[in-house]
Amino acid sequence: QDGLKQCLAEFRQQLTWVERLDVTLGPVTDPVSQSASTSDAVDPENDFQREMSFYRQAQAAVLEALPRLRKLQVPTRRPDDYFAEMAKSDQQMQKIRQKLKSKQEAMERSEKAKQLRAMRKYGKKVQVEILQRRQKEKKNMLNAVKKYQKGLSDKLDFLDEEQTSSQGNKKGSASQRTKKGPNAKRRYKNQKFGFGGKKKGSKWNTKESFNDVSSFQSKVAHNKGPGKGGRGGKGGKKALNKRPGKRARQKMKNRAR
Amino acid sequence: GKWKNKERVLIFSSRGINFRTRHLMQDLRTLMPHSKADTKMDRKDQLFVINEVCEMKNCNKCIFFEAKKKQDLYMWLSNTPQGPSAKFLVQNVHTLAELKMTGNCLRGSRPLLSFDPIFDQEPHYTLLKELFIQIFSTPQYHPKSQPFVDHVFTFSITDERIWFRNYQIIEEDASLVEIGPRFVLNLIKIFQGSFGGPTLYENPHYQSPNMHRRLLRLSVAAKFREKQQVKEVQKIKKKGTKVLVEEDPTEVVFETPAEEKPVEIQLVKPESKPIVKDKKKLRKIQRKKQKKLFRTEG
């Protein structure tokens, strides 16, 4: 160790700083970096951290040296019209520029493709939503129309779409009473399956139809009519007249409701 | 101004270097206008011959690249007449021509030298720092130099090695771009004389590349040997100590020999079976036939 120091003492040249231009400084402390406070030792395996420490060391040196140089009147900025041979040839710089450009273009292309894909997905989602909304509206409209046809609601509000529900509640307390008409279960089923009516049980007897004895003809029931022969000749009309016509029947039906 | 600081650096190499080293040498020559080139030196000459070569060229510093086994690169930095010299192992060489180094600087402009503070902490590092300063800094008013200062050399110490980087100064606020080249120096020894003399310092952390490769090979071999040993142990375990069971004389009591079957000798070759391509189809046909029969019977 002493030998080293002796050698250094002999070897050292006494030159002005301007000749040597050396700066010994640690790296600039980065205000953003988290690692500066925790660990001073740079992990050599972590490439990025290592290179950043070198970069910052160079920065510190530059920040200190440039003012000193300016004081000593050594020029540091190259004037724009000063053309001289560079360490790397122009051809080399061209190659570098080309490479950088191509890299950037590739990145842009991939970005564009990603955006396009995202937009397409979004567009598809919006379209699906719109279609569904339209279908729902159509369904509601049809339901309202059917309701009106069946006579449950005598309002023609469904024609104007802008009407709010609050306005509907103010008009007609009669409609409020009729709202309690069918059961909750019945209402739910109406809402779910609509007013088309169930097909399956349409020809079965209901309570009303069972208790409806209007189409009972005792003579027909006890087989005491004029008979088939009599009907075959002239009595066809008379026998048939006992059942009212289609229109009469419909009238009766509507009036009953 | 007048050129006072007469430093001249001789940069040359031995034979057997590869393209990367050659490019590195050329890069150093372009970056340092106070350098001189020389032809390749034959390996059979002793190292102190270099001192004579330097004297002939009137140089007082020298950078000598030595390539061994076509794999390892060693670099000597020396102050030729009597001063100290140091030998390094060079690793991770990247040259100026690499496309990732985007910066550029004037050819022959003077560099700013930036050192890690660790250089001031140890005596051997201080000596190295002095050596670096004298070799790498371009003298002021050198005829081939440009008066501007537009790039900076960094020497940092990480992982017991010296890392060299070269950055271009773009703005006054110290935004930098790397120019290159870059390399890593692993100190081996410092000698008192130029290319010889007593050893002043030996790096305890240095491991020669041969040793490194040897260790790798040994570790691989050790793994293999371990596997084999484990296999042998398993073999021995399997064979193990077999328990000898004594012969039981009453074991044979219940044995009844089987009846002897009459030996039939076939003289005529048996009929060959018909080759059935589709067994399922055959079975289907059979079933149908049976059904028909069944129906006709019933």
Side-chain angles (χ1 to χ4, degrees), chain B residues 31-32 41 78 115 150 161 178 199 234 266 286:
Chain B
L31 284 179
M32 293 162 42
M41 188 192 84
S78 139
F115 291 95
D150 63 353
R161 293 177 172 79
E178 186 155 0
T199 313
Q234 278 186 343
Q266 282 186 344
Q286 275 187 358

Side-chain angles (χ1 to χ4, degrees), chain A residues 18 24 51 70 82 88, chain B residues 101 110 129 146 165 172:
Chain A
V18 133
T24 308
E51 296 299 322
R70 239 174 274 136
Y82 189 94
K88 294 190 197 173
Chain B
M101 317 276 193
R110 299 181 60 210
K129 178 179 158 186
Q146 306 277 359
R165 296 281 183 277
E172 301 281 304

